[in-house]
Amino acid sequence: EYMGNVAKELAAYGIDGLHLDYFRYNHNANGWSAEDFERIAAMGADTERVKELIEITNGYNGRVEDQNYLLNAYRNNDPDAIIIAKYRTKNIRELAEHIIKEAKTVNPDLIFSGAIMPEGAYEIGYSELNYGQSYEEAAKLYDYVCPMAYSGTYKKPETWVVDVAKKAIAKGNRVLMGIQAFDEATSDRIMAETENLRELMRDPTYAKDMLGVAFFRSGTFDYAK
């Protein structure tokens, strides 16, 4: 309710749009209140199995840690792991839907964008389980997405940003690509990634949905530009 009211207030200022940043869970370990367990049980989950999945994945309560335990369970069609992914993406989607709906009562022409982690473009289940984000859901919510394709952080080459953009578009999104301008970023890396994405914008297959480039973040970008 609070976030919806803030969005309505902002919409009254004559802005062009709103960007939903850090709009996610930050890890599968987080977001497990008693109310969460009640709600996930109502979706048909075995709460003891859910606790086991989270505890083993994170090494909680004396469990031997296996960081891939939840993800592997999901990929092996474990019903409780699948419900976890559905529950988390549902929460993120419904909050976004509420904010967008409320803001558009003030200005129906507002543009909405969302920052979205890159893994969901190319890994099955990881983004849904950890962040509650889905590129397929994002395509329905936002006018465009900003994949956070920070290649230095992810130890990827400069061409990786193009791969993420293509896969985000393939899932139905229009894309304004977020590239890294902090920590590992250098002038050479920023220029290479920008040129790679400009090439993609010239490709007739992607030109309609590849809108451009955004840099994160401005403070460090000043040193690199």
Side-chain angles (χ1 to χ4, degrees), residues 7 20 95-105 110 112 141-142:
L20 303 187
L95 180 56
E97 285 174 340
H98 177 73
I99 289 170
I100 292 167
K101 177 173 172 282
E102 291 297 295
K104 286 193 172 185
T105 63
L110 278 180
F112 276 88
L141 288 168
Y142 305 119

Side-chain angles (χ1 to χ4, degrees), residues 3 5 16 21 33 48 54 76 84 93 105 111 113 125 135 144 153 155-156 168 171 173 187 202 207-208 217:
M3 292 293 286
N5 288 337
D16 294 316
D21 189 23
S33 66
E48 290 307 309
I54 300 304
N76 288 322
I84 290 171
R93 181 187 71 247
T105 63
I111 297 165
S113 59
Y135 274 77
Y144 61 86
T153 297
K155 311 299 182 193
K156 302 289 187 181
K171 291 178 182 287
N173 295 276
S187 296
R202 299 184 188 108
K208 175 175 67 72
R217 60 190 180 264

